Amino acid sequence: SQKIEQNSEALNIQEGKTATLTCNYTNYSPAYLQWYRQDPGRGPVFLLLIRENEKEKRKERLKVTFDTTLKQSLFHITASQPADSATYLCASEAGSYQLTFGKGTKLSVIP
Amino acid sequence: EAQVTQNPRYLITVTGKKLTVTCSQNMNHEYMSWYRQDPGLGLRQIYYSMNVEVTDKGDVPEGYKVSRKEKRNFPLILESPSPNQTSLYFCASSLTSDSTDTQYFGPGTRLTVL
């Protein structure tokens, strides 16, 4: 069955460094991947979408890559700040009209 | 302000007592859905609706009902709640049923079934 996985449950990083989060998919080839941010007790908030024909996409300090050979998307936050601490979710289509989400990676940026 | 609202935000109830969680969006979105989020399991879709009077099951529909009589509202009904439905519930909406559309999530409803 098709799976979307975020293998790291948690990631701790020093302030100012680049955080890199991974999203892997198996048994299917999504046409796109979305990334969301979720703060504790709140709903996810959309950050970026990258399509399979786009190698890289940027938004301010965020960068997402999509490698169809490795079946992987990487999400980077450069010059990370404590305010970037949150859980980050990747998502892609799961059949018609549905999104499936990874379980998320909890990022903690340490001052 | 464009938003998705859910009520109540917190609810403690007992097994078997019917309840409804309301969801409303003010963005004229066609697509609405309900998710539950559990530790270690992530976000899982319960039901979705592509438009008024059109609903379909998601990945975990058992024990839930929905209706979409108006475009803005998409209530989630638990006819006979059980403890395994204790969870954090999110309503979401998007402009269309195209799964590339941005999902806008509500603030969540934390439900405890005793």
Side-chain angles (χ1 to χ4, degrees):
Chain A
S1 61
Q2 59 189 46
K3 283 185 184 177
I4 185 165
E5 293 175 311
Q6 295 178 257
N7 294 329
S8 297
E9 283 190 19
L11 177 67
N12 296 328
I13 194 162
Q14 207 71 33
E15 182 177 4
K17 301 290 187 185
T18 297
T20 299
L21 286 64
T22 305
C23 179
N24 297 293
Y25 55 91
T26 53
N27 298 326
Y28 75 121
S29 297
Y32 66 88
L33 286 163
Q34 297 188 21
W35 283 89
Y36 288 78
R37 169 183 173 139
Q38 186 175 22
D39 291 290
R42 307 191 75 168
V45 175
F46 173 78
L47 296 174
L48 283 165
L49 178 147
I50 185 166
R51 298 181 187 274
E52 61 179 338
N53 60 350
E54 298 174 315
K55 292 284 188 254
E56 180 181 298
K57 204 153 193 182
R58 292 177 185 261
K59 179 182 175 183
E60 297 172 352
R61 294 185 294 111
L62 309 180
K63 183 178 86 171
V64 175
T65 62
F66 195 169
D67 189 326
T68 55
T69 303
L70 293 178
K71 293 183 177 290
Q72 183 179 83
S73 174
L74 298 180
F75 177 83
H76 306 272
I77 307 175
T78 58
S80 57
Q81 304 165 1
D84 296 325
S85 298
T87 296
Y88 292 86
L89 308 169
C90 65
S92 76
E93 81 263 30
S96 302
Y97 316 121
Q98 290 183 261
L99 265 185
T100 187
F101 284 82
K103 294 177 185 176
T105 297
K106 184 177 180 180
L107 174 67
S108 298
V109 180
I110 303 159
Chain B
E1 180 191 352
Q3 60 183 347
V4 178
T5 56
Q6 294 179 227
N7 282 293
R9 294 288 316 279
Y10 303 91
L11 180 60
I12 299 174
T13 189
V14 295
T15 299
K17 187 176 181 183
K18 181 179 178 180
L19 66 93
T20 299
V21 184
T22 64
C23 172
S24 184
Q25 50 90 7
N26 62 0
M27 296 171 278
N28 201 34
H29 283 174
E30 290 183 352
Y31 185 91
M32 297 184 75
S33 61
W34 277 102
Y35 293 86
R36 61 177 289 175
Q37 188 172 39
D38 303 287
L41 295 176
L43 273 169
R44 293 178 295 166
Q45 193 178 54
I46 303 170
Y47 268 94
Y48 64 93
S49 169
M50 290 189 286
N51 215 323
V52 176
E53 302 291 1
V54 182
T55 63
D56 208 346
K57 295 177 181 178
D59 297 318
V60 288
E62 294 77 22
Y64 304 94
K65 283 176 59 177
V66 293
S67 68
R68 186 95 181 270
K69 294 186 170 61
E70 306 165 280
K71 199 170 187 179
R72 63 183 294 126
N73 296 323
F74 190 45
L76 179 70
I77 303 155
L78 284 72
E79 296 259 352
S80 183
S82 62
N84 65 10
Q85 293 178 298
T86 292
S87 187
L88 180 57
Y89 290 86
F90 290 102
C91 180
S93 73
S94 60
L95 186 61
T96 72
S97 56
D98 185 334
S99 55
T100 62
D101 280 354
T102 299
Q103 297 289 312
Y104 294 85
F105 284 82
T109 295
R110 188 168 291 280
L111 172 66
T112 301
V113 183
L114 302 174

PDB file of all heavy atoms in Angstrom, chain A residues 48-78:
ATOM      1  N   LEU A  48       4.228  25.135   2.005  1.00  0.00           N
ATOM      2  CA  LEU A  48       4.721  25.062   0.630  1.00  0.00           C
ATOM      3  C   LEU A  48       4.157  23.831  -0.066  1.00  0.00           C
ATOM      4  O   LEU A  48       3.914  22.803   0.567  1.00  0.00           O
ATOM      5  CB  LEU A  48       6.251  24.940   0.609  1.00  0.00           C
ATOM      6  CG  LEU A  48       7.078  26.188   0.878  1.00  0.00           C
ATOM      7  CD1 LEU A  48       8.526  25.803   1.188  1.00  0.00           C
ATOM      8  CD2 LEU A  48       7.047  27.118  -0.316  1.00  0.00           C
ATOM      9  N   LEU A  49       4.034  23.926  -1.374  1.00  0.00           N
ATOM     10  CA  LEU A  49       3.714  22.774  -2.222  1.00  0.00           C
ATOM     11  C   LEU A  49       4.784  22.689  -3.298  1.00  0.00           C
ATOM     12  O   LEU A  49       5.170  23.703  -3.886  1.00  0.00           O
ATOM     13  CB  LEU A  49       2.330  22.938  -2.857  1.00  0.00           C
ATOM     14  CG  LEU A  49       1.867  21.833  -3.807  1.00  0.00           C
ATOM     15  CD1 LEU A  49       0.344  21.653  -3.727  1.00  0.00           C
ATOM     16  CD2 LEU A  49       2.251  22.109  -5.256  1.00  0.00           C
ATOM     17  N   ILE A  50       5.265  21.473  -3.557  1.00  0.00           N
ATOM     18  CA  ILE A  50       6.235  21.268  -4.625  1.00  0.00           C
ATOM     19  C   ILE A  50       5.717  20.163  -5.522  1.00  0.00           C
ATOM     20  O   ILE A  50       5.234  19.126  -5.036  1.00  0.00           O
ATOM     21  CB  ILE A  50       7.637  20.951  -4.064  1.00  0.00           C
ATOM     22  CG1 ILE A  50       8.655  20.865  -5.210  1.00  0.00           C
ATOM     23  CG2 ILE A  50       7.644  19.695  -3.202  1.00  0.00           C
ATOM     24  CD1 ILE A  50      10.096  20.886  -4.742  1.00  0.00           C
ATOM     25  N   ARG A  51       5.793  20.374  -6.822  1.00  0.00           N
ATOM     26  CA  ARG A  51       5.311  19.391  -7.785  1.00  0.00           C
ATOM     27  C   ARG A  51       6.460  18.516  -8.244  1.00  0.00           C
ATOM     28  O   ARG A  51       7.629  18.893  -8.136  1.00  0.00           O
ATOM     29  CB  ARG A  51       4.650  20.085  -8.967  1.00  0.00           C
ATOM     30  CG  ARG A  51       3.430  20.895  -8.550  1.00  0.00           C
ATOM     31  CD  ARG A  51       2.741  21.567  -9.726  1.00  0.00           C
ATOM     32  NE  ARG A  51       1.683  22.469  -9.262  1.00  0.00           N
ATOM     33  CZ  ARG A  51       0.445  22.077  -8.996  1.00  0.00           C
ATOM     34  NH1 ARG A  51       0.100  20.807  -9.150  1.00  0.00           N
ATOM     35  NH2 ARG A  51      -0.453  22.956  -8.572  1.00  0.00           N
ATOM     36  N   GLU A  52       6.130  17.373  -8.828  1.00  0.00           N
ATOM     37  CA  GLU A  52       7.164  16.391  -9.195  1.00  0.00           C
ATOM     38  C   GLU A  52       8.121  16.928 -10.249  1.00  0.00           C
ATOM     39  O   GLU A  52       9.264  16.475 -10.338  1.00  0.00           O
ATOM     40  CB  GLU A  52       6.513  15.096  -9.682  1.00  0.00           C
ATOM     41  CG  GLU A  52       5.644  15.269 -10.904  1.00  0.00           C
ATOM     42  CD  GLU A  52       5.034  13.953 -11.364  1.00  0.00           C
ATOM     43  OE1 GLU A  52       5.585  12.885 -11.025  1.00  0.00           O
ATOM     44  OE2 GLU A  52       4.009  13.995 -12.054  1.00  0.00           O
ATOM     45  N   ASN A  53       7.686  17.883 -11.045  1.00  0.00           N
ATOM     46  CA  ASN A  53       8.571  18.427 -12.073  1.00  0.00           C
ATOM     47  C   ASN A  53       9.373  19.638 -11.559  1.00  0.00           C
ATOM     48  O   ASN A  53      10.106  20.265 -12.320  1.00  0.00           O
ATOM     49  CB  ASN A  53       7.786  18.809 -13.325  1.00  0.00           C
ATOM     50  CG  ASN A  53       6.736  19.865 -13.051  1.00  0.00           C
ATOM     51  OD1 ASN A  53       6.466  20.187 -11.897  1.00  0.00           O
ATOM     52  ND2 ASN A  53       6.144  20.401 -14.094  1.00  0.00           N
ATOM     53  N   GLU A  54       9.217  19.948 -10.292  1.00  0.00           N
ATOM     54  CA  GLU A  54       9.992  21.029  -9.676  1.00  0.00           C
ATOM     55  C   GLU A  54      11.042  20.402  -8.772  1.00  0.00           C
ATOM     56  O   GLU A  54      10.712  19.642  -7.879  1.00  0.00           O
ATOM     57  CB  GLU A  54       9.079  21.941  -8.853  1.00  0.00           C
ATOM     58  CG  GLU A  54       8.008  22.645  -9.665  1.00  0.00           C
ATOM     59  CD  GLU A  54       7.036  23.417  -8.789  1.00  0.00           C
ATOM     60  OE1 GLU A  54       6.594  22.854  -7.754  1.00  0.00           O
ATOM     61  OE2 GLU A  54       6.724  24.568  -9.123  1.00  0.00           O
ATOM     62  N   LYS A  55      12.260  20.744  -8.977  1.00  0.00           N
ATOM     63  CA  LYS A  55      13.318  20.159  -8.145  1.00  0.00           C
ATOM     64  C   LYS A  55      13.394  20.852  -6.791  1.00  0.00           C
ATOM     65  O   LYS A  55      13.738  20.239  -5.778  1.00  0.00           O
ATOM     66  CB  LYS A  55      14.666  20.286  -8.855  1.00  0.00           C
ATOM     67  CG  LYS A  55      14.771  19.430 -10.089  1.00  0.00           C
ATOM     68  CD  LYS A  55      14.977  17.969  -9.712  1.00  0.00           C
ATOM     69  CE  LYS A  55      15.288  17.129 -10.930  1.00  0.00           C
ATOM     70  NZ  LYS A  55      14.178  16.316 -11.324  1.00  0.00           N
ATOM     71  N   GLU A  56      13.081  22.130  -6.788  1.00  0.00           N
ATOM     72  CA  GLU A  56      13.284  22.921  -5.576  1.00  0.00           C
ATOM     73  C   GLU A  56      12.297  24.082  -5.543  1.00  0.00           C
ATOM     74  O   GLU A  56      11.907  24.615  -6.597  1.00  0.00           O
ATOM     75  CB  GLU A  56      14.722  23.469  -5.616  1.00  0.00           C
ATOM     76  CG  GLU A  56      15.127  24.310  -4.459  1.00  0.00           C
ATOM     77  CD  GLU A  56      16.559  24.803  -4.622  1.00  0.00           C
ATOM     78  OE1 GLU A  56      17.482  23.959  -4.683  1.00  0.00           O
ATOM     79  OE2 GLU A  56      16.757  26.027  -4.699  1.00  0.00           O
ATOM     80  N   LYS A  57      11.893  24.439  -4.329  1.00  0.00           N
ATOM     81  CA  LYS A  57      11.023  25.603  -4.175  1.00  0.00           C
ATOM     82  C   LYS A  57      11.435  26.343  -2.901  1.00  0.00           C
ATOM     83  O   LYS A  57      11.774  25.706  -1.903  1.00  0.00           O
ATOM     84  CB  LYS A  57       9.574  25.167  -4.044  1.00  0.00           C
ATOM     85  CG  LYS A  57       8.569  26.221  -4.449  1.00  0.00           C
ATOM     86  CD  LYS A  57       7.306  25.567  -4.910  1.00  0.00           C
ATOM     87  CE  LYS A  57       6.408  26.562  -5.603  1.00  0.00           C
ATOM     88  NZ  LYS A  57       5.154  25.938  -6.021  1.00  0.00           N
ATOM     89  N   ARG A  58      11.376  27.663  -2.955  1.00  0.00           N
ATOM     90  CA  ARG A  58      11.808  28.455  -1.808  1.00  0.00           C
ATOM     91  C   ARG A  58      10.734  29.457  -1.390  1.00  0.00           C
ATOM     92  O   ARG A  58       9.972  29.956  -2.215  1.00  0.00           O
ATOM     93  CB  ARG A  58      13.081  29.226  -2.153  1.00  0.00           C
ATOM     94  CG  ARG A  58      14.308  28.393  -2.359  1.00  0.00           C
ATOM     95  CD  ARG A  58      15.496  29.243  -2.774  1.00  0.00           C
ATOM     96  NE  ARG A  58      16.658  28.420  -3.090  1.00  0.00           N
ATOM     97  CZ  ARG A  58      17.668  28.200  -2.248  1.00  0.00           C
ATOM     98  NH1 ARG A  58      17.657  28.755  -1.058  1.00  0.00           N
ATOM     99  NH2 ARG A  58      18.690  27.447  -2.613  1.00  0.00           N
ATOM    100  N   LYS A  59      10.743  29.731  -0.089  1.00  0.00           N
ATOM    101  CA  LYS A  59       9.882  30.787   0.453  1.00  0.00           C
ATOM    102  C   LYS A  59      10.585  31.330   1.686  1.00  0.00           C
ATOM    103  O   LYS A  59      10.663  30.661   2.713  1.00  0.00           O
ATOM    104  CB  LYS A  59       8.514  30.210   0.828  1.00  0.00           C
ATOM    105  CG  LYS A  59       7.559  31.223   1.429  1.00  0.00           C
ATOM    106  CD  LYS A  59       6.258  30.532   1.793  1.00  0.00           C
ATOM    107  CE  LYS A  59       5.313  31.481   2.518  1.00  0.00           C
ATOM    108  NZ  LYS A  59       4.082  30.803   2.945  1.00  0.00           N
ATOM    109  N   GLU A  60      11.144  32.489   1.534  1.00  0.00           N
ATOM    110  CA  GLU A  60      11.890  33.132   2.624  1.00  0.00           C
ATOM    111  C   GLU A  60      12.984  32.178   3.123  1.00  0.00           C
ATOM    112  O   GLU A  60      13.844  31.777   2.340  1.00  0.00           O
ATOM    113  CB  GLU A  60      10.927  33.561   3.731  1.00  0.00           C
ATOM    114  CG  GLU A  60       9.931  34.597   3.241  1.00  0.00           C
ATOM    115  CD  GLU A  60       8.832  34.918   4.241  1.00  0.00           C
ATOM    116  OE1 GLU A  60       8.737  34.228   5.277  1.00  0.00           O
ATOM    117  OE2 GLU A  60       8.065  35.847   3.978  1.00  0.00           O
ATOM    118  N   ARG A  61      12.979  31.766   4.371  1.00  0.00           N
ATOM    119  CA  ARG A  61      14.046  30.890   4.888  1.00  0.00           C
ATOM    120  C   ARG A  61      13.740  29.415   4.660  1.00  0.00           C
ATOM    121  O   ARG A  61      14.500  28.542   5.089  1.00  0.00           O
ATOM    122  CB  ARG A  61      14.243  31.146   6.382  1.00  0.00           C
ATOM    123  CG  ARG A  61      14.776  32.544   6.711  1.00  0.00           C
ATOM    124  CD  ARG A  61      15.058  32.700   8.204  1.00  0.00           C
ATOM    125  NE  ARG A  61      13.833  32.635   8.999  1.00  0.00           N
ATOM    126  CZ  ARG A  61      13.531  31.635   9.806  1.00  0.00           C
ATOM    127  NH1 ARG A  61      14.328  30.598   9.962  1.00  0.00           N
ATOM    128  NH2 ARG A  61      12.390  31.654  10.504  1.00  0.00           N
ATOM    129  N   LEU A  62      12.642  29.112   3.986  1.00  0.00           N
ATOM    130  CA  LEU A  62      12.248  27.728   3.753  1.00  0.00           C
ATOM    131  C   LEU A  62      12.649  27.280   2.352  1.00  0.00           C
ATOM    132  O   LEU A  62      12.560  28.055   1.411  1.00  0.00           O
ATOM    133  CB  LEU A  62      10.730  27.567   3.919  1.00  0.00           C
ATOM    134  CG  LEU A  62      10.103  28.108   5.192  1.00  0.00           C
ATOM    135  CD1 LEU A  62       8.598  27.860   5.172  1.00  0.00           C
ATOM    136  CD2 LEU A  62      10.744  27.489   6.414  1.00  0.00           C
ATOM    137  N   LYS A  63      13.093  26.032   2.259  1.00  0.00           N
ATOM    138  CA  LYS A  63      13.391  25.457   0.953  1.00  0.00           C
ATOM    139  C   LYS A  63      12.925  24.013   0.958  1.00  0.00           C
ATOM    140  O   LYS A  63      13.135  23.282   1.936  1.00  0.00           O
ATOM    141  CB  LYS A  63      14.886  25.492   0.655  1.00  0.00           C
ATOM    142  CG  LYS A  63      15.239  24.974  -0.731  1.00  0.00           C
ATOM    143  CD  LYS A  63      16.722  25.075  -1.016  1.00  0.00           C
ATOM    144  CE  LYS A  63      17.470  23.862  -0.513  1.00  0.00           C
ATOM    145  NZ  LYS A  63      18.888  23.839  -0.978  1.00  0.00           N
ATOM    146  N   VAL A  64      12.245  23.612  -0.098  1.00  0.00           N
ATOM    147  CA  VAL A  64      11.782  22.232  -0.241  1.00  0.00           C
ATOM    148  C   VAL A  64      12.351  21.667  -1.521  1.00  0.00           C
ATOM    149  O   VAL A  64      12.393  22.350  -2.551  1.00  0.00           O
ATOM    150  CB  VAL A  64      10.240  22.170  -0.288  1.00  0.00           C
ATOM    151  CG1 VAL A  64       9.787  20.751  -0.570  1.00  0.00           C
ATOM    152  CG2 VAL A  64       9.639  22.642   1.007  1.00  0.00           C
ATOM    153  N   THR A  65      12.798  20.414  -1.457  1.00  0.00           N
ATOM    154  CA  THR A  65      13.257  19.717  -2.654  1.00  0.00           C
ATOM    155  C   THR A  65      12.425  18.456  -2.853  1.00  0.00           C
ATOM    156  O   THR A  65      11.812  17.946  -1.903  1.00  0.00           O
ATOM    157  CB  THR A  65      14.741  19.339  -2.557  1.00  0.00           C
ATOM    158  OG1 THR A  65      14.909  18.444  -1.449  1.00  0.00           O
ATOM    159  CG2 THR A  65      15.610  20.568  -2.376  1.00  0.00           C
ATOM    160  N   PHE A  66      12.409  17.979  -4.086  1.00  0.00           N
ATOM    161  CA  PHE A  66      11.616  16.794  -4.430  1.00  0.00           C
ATOM    162  C   PHE A  66      12.502  15.936  -5.331  1.00  0.00           C
ATOM    163  O   PHE A  66      12.825  16.337  -6.450  1.00  0.00           O
ATOM    164  CB  PHE A  66      10.352  17.242  -5.173  1.00  0.00           C
ATOM    165  CG  PHE A  66       9.271  16.203  -5.298  1.00  0.00           C
ATOM    166  CD1 PHE A  66       8.008  16.573  -5.752  1.00  0.00           C
ATOM    167  CD2 PHE A  66       9.474  14.875  -4.973  1.00  0.00           C
ATOM    168  CE1 PHE A  66       6.982  15.638  -5.867  1.00  0.00           C
ATOM    169  CE2 PHE A  66       8.453  13.930  -5.092  1.00  0.00           C
ATOM    170  CZ  PHE A  66       7.199  14.327  -5.542  1.00  0.00           C
ATOM    171  N   ASP A  67      12.885  14.778  -4.840  1.00  0.00           N
ATOM    172  CA  ASP A  67      13.754  13.874  -5.595  1.00  0.00           C
ATOM    173  C   ASP A  67      12.974  12.613  -5.917  1.00  0.00           C
ATOM    174  O   ASP A  67      12.763  11.763  -5.050  1.00  0.00           O
ATOM    175  CB  ASP A  67      15.004  13.553  -4.759  1.00  0.00           C
ATOM    176  CG  ASP A  67      16.045  12.808  -5.555  1.00  0.00           C
ATOM    177  OD1 ASP A  67      15.679  11.996  -6.436  1.00  0.00           O
ATOM    178  OD2 ASP A  67      17.246  13.014  -5.300  1.00  0.00           O
ATOM    179  N   THR A  68      12.531  12.511  -7.169  1.00  0.00           N
ATOM    180  CA  THR A  68      11.689  11.367  -7.551  1.00  0.00           C
ATOM    181  C   THR A  68      12.503  10.083  -7.652  1.00  0.00           C
ATOM    182  O   THR A  68      11.931   8.988  -7.584  1.00  0.00           O
ATOM    183  CB  THR A  68      10.981  11.645  -8.889  1.00  0.00           C
ATOM    184  OG1 THR A  68      11.958  11.978  -9.878  1.00  0.00           O
ATOM    185  CG2 THR A  68       9.987  12.781  -8.754  1.00  0.00           C
ATOM    186  N   THR A  69      13.805  10.209  -7.792  1.00  0.00           N
ATOM    187  CA  THR A  69      14.658   9.007  -7.827  1.00  0.00           C
ATOM    188  C   THR A  69      14.783   8.399  -6.444  1.00  0.00           C
ATOM    189  O   THR A  69      14.631   7.189  -6.257  1.00  0.00           O
ATOM    190  CB  THR A  69      16.048   9.359  -8.378  1.00  0.00           C
ATOM    191  OG1 THR A  69      15.892   9.936  -9.670  1.00  0.00           O
ATOM    192  CG2 THR A  69      16.930   8.127  -8.454  1.00  0.00           C
ATOM    193  N   LEU A  70      15.044   9.242  -5.466  1.00  0.00           N
ATOM    194  CA  LEU A  70      15.152   8.782  -4.082  1.00  0.00           C
ATOM    195  C   LEU A  70      13.795   8.629  -3.416  1.00  0.00           C
ATOM    196  O   LEU A  70      13.706   8.111  -2.299  1.00  0.00           O
ATOM    197  CB  LEU A  70      15.998   9.771  -3.274  1.00  0.00           C
ATOM    198  CG  LEU A  70      17.469   9.879  -3.645  1.00  0.00           C
ATOM    199  CD1 LEU A  70      18.158  10.928  -2.782  1.00  0.00           C
ATOM    200  CD2 LEU A  70      18.171   8.526  -3.473  1.00  0.00           C
ATOM    201  N   LYS A  71      12.737   9.084  -4.086  1.00  0.00           N
ATOM    202  CA  LYS A  71      11.378   9.050  -3.522  1.00  0.00           C
ATOM    203  C   LYS A  71      11.349   9.791  -2.189  1.00  0.00           C
ATOM    204  O   LYS A  71      10.910   9.265  -1.142  1.00  0.00           O
ATOM    205  CB  LYS A  71      10.889   7.613  -3.354  1.00  0.00           C
ATOM    206  CG  LYS A  71      10.674   6.888  -4.664  1.00  0.00           C
ATOM    207  CD  LYS A  71      10.126   5.490  -4.419  1.00  0.00           C
ATOM    208  CE  LYS A  71       9.839   4.760  -5.710  1.00  0.00           C
ATOM    209  NZ  LYS A  71       8.696   5.323  -6.445  1.00  0.00           N
ATOM    210  N   GLN A  72      11.791  11.038  -2.269  1.00  0.00           N
ATOM    211  CA  GLN A  72      12.000  11.768  -1.031  1.00  0.00           C
ATOM    212  C   GLN A  72      11.833  13.266  -1.252  1.00  0.00           C
ATOM    213  O   GLN A  72      12.149  13.797  -2.326  1.00  0.00           O
ATOM    214  CB  GLN A  72      13.444  11.492  -0.577  1.00  0.00           C
ATOM    215  CG  GLN A  72      13.878  12.088   0.709  1.00  0.00           C
ATOM    216  CD  GLN A  72      15.323  11.686   1.007  1.00  0.00           C
ATOM    217  OE1 GLN A  72      16.271  12.291   0.515  1.00  0.00           O
ATOM    218  NE2 GLN A  72      15.481  10.662   1.818  1.00  0.00           N
ATOM    219  N   SER A  73      11.317  13.924  -0.222  1.00  0.00           N
ATOM    220  CA  SER A  73      11.304  15.383  -0.196  1.00  0.00           C
ATOM    221  C   SER A  73      12.060  15.837   1.047  1.00  0.00           C
ATOM    222  O   SER A  73      11.897  15.248   2.128  1.00  0.00           O
ATOM    223  CB  SER A  73       9.872  15.913  -0.159  1.00  0.00           C
ATOM    224  OG  SER A  73       9.850  17.325   0.002  1.00  0.00           O
ATOM    225  N   LEU A  74      12.883  16.851   0.885  1.00  0.00           N
ATOM    226  CA  LEU A  74      13.587  17.432   2.017  1.00  0.00           C
ATOM    227  C   LEU A  74      13.051  18.838   2.257  1.00  0.00           C
ATOM    228  O   LEU A  74      12.802  19.593   1.312  1.00  0.00           O
ATOM    229  CB  LEU A  74      15.091  17.496   1.755  1.00  0.00           C
ATOM    230  CG  LEU A  74      15.799  16.163   1.542  1.00  0.00           C
ATOM    231  CD1 LEU A  74      17.290  16.396   1.282  1.00  0.00           C
ATOM    232  CD2 LEU A  74      15.616  15.235   2.713  1.00  0.00           C
ATOM    233  N   PHE A  75      12.884  19.159   3.528  1.00  0.00           N
ATOM    234  CA  PHE A  75      12.382  20.478   3.945  1.00  0.00           C
ATOM    235  C   PHE A  75      13.475  21.126   4.786  1.00  0.00           C
ATOM    236  O   PHE A  75      13.895  20.560   5.798  1.00  0.00           O
ATOM    237  CB  PHE A  75      11.101  20.276   4.757  1.00  0.00           C
ATOM    238  CG  PHE A  75      10.495  21.530   5.309  1.00  0.00           C
ATOM    239  CD1 PHE A  75       9.666  22.319   4.534  1.00  0.00           C
ATOM    240  CD2 PHE A  75      10.745  21.910   6.621  1.00  0.00           C
ATOM    241  CE1 PHE A  75       9.095  23.466   5.050  1.00  0.00           C
ATOM    242  CE2 PHE A  75      10.175  23.060   7.147  1.00  0.00           C
ATOM    243  CZ  PHE A  75       9.348  23.838   6.360  1.00  0.00           C
ATOM    244  N   HIS A  76      13.944  22.278   4.328  1.00  0.00           N
ATOM    245  CA  HIS A  76      15.044  22.962   5.013  1.00  0.00           C
ATOM    246  C   HIS A  76      14.573  24.285   5.597  1.00  0.00           C
ATOM    247  O   HIS A  76      13.818  25.019   4.938  1.00  0.00           O
ATOM    248  CB  HIS A  76      16.179  23.272   4.032  1.00  0.00           C
ATOM    249  CG  HIS A  76      16.684  22.090   3.272  1.00  0.00           C
ATOM    250  ND1 HIS A  76      17.693  21.263   3.739  1.00  0.00           N
ATOM    251  CD2 HIS A  76      16.318  21.601   2.065  1.00  0.00           C
ATOM    252  CE1 HIS A  76      17.922  20.324   2.840  1.00  0.00           C
ATOM    253  NE2 HIS A  76      17.109  20.494   1.817  1.00  0.00           N
ATOM    254  N   ILE A  77      15.017  24.576   6.802  1.00  0.00           N
ATOM    255  CA  ILE A  77      14.838  25.907   7.387  1.00  0.00           C
ATOM    256  C   ILE A  77      16.230  26.447   7.647  1.00  0.00           C
ATOM    257  O   ILE A  77      16.975  25.902   8.482  1.00  0.00           O
ATOM    258  CB  ILE A  77      14.036  25.874   8.703  1.00  0.00           C
ATOM    259  CG1 ILE A  77      12.707  25.149   8.521  1.00  0.00           C
ATOM    260  CG2 ILE A  77      13.811  27.298   9.225  1.00  0.00           C
ATOM    261  CD1 ILE A  77      11.924  24.988   9.823  1.00  0.00           C
ATOM    262  N   THR A  78      16.602  27.497   6.941  1.00  0.00           N
ATOM    263  CA  THR A  78      17.919  28.079   7.154  1.00  0.00           C
ATOM    264  C   THR A  78      17.872  29.114   8.277  1.00  0.00           C
ATOM    265  O   THR A  78      16.802  29.668   8.571  1.00  0.00           O
ATOM    266  CB  THR A  78      18.441  28.742   5.873  1.00  0.00           C
ATOM    267  OG1 THR A  78      17.484  29.743   5.462  1.00  0.00           O
ATOM    268  CG2 THR A  78      18.583  27.740   4.742  1.00  0.00           C
TER     269      THR A  78
END
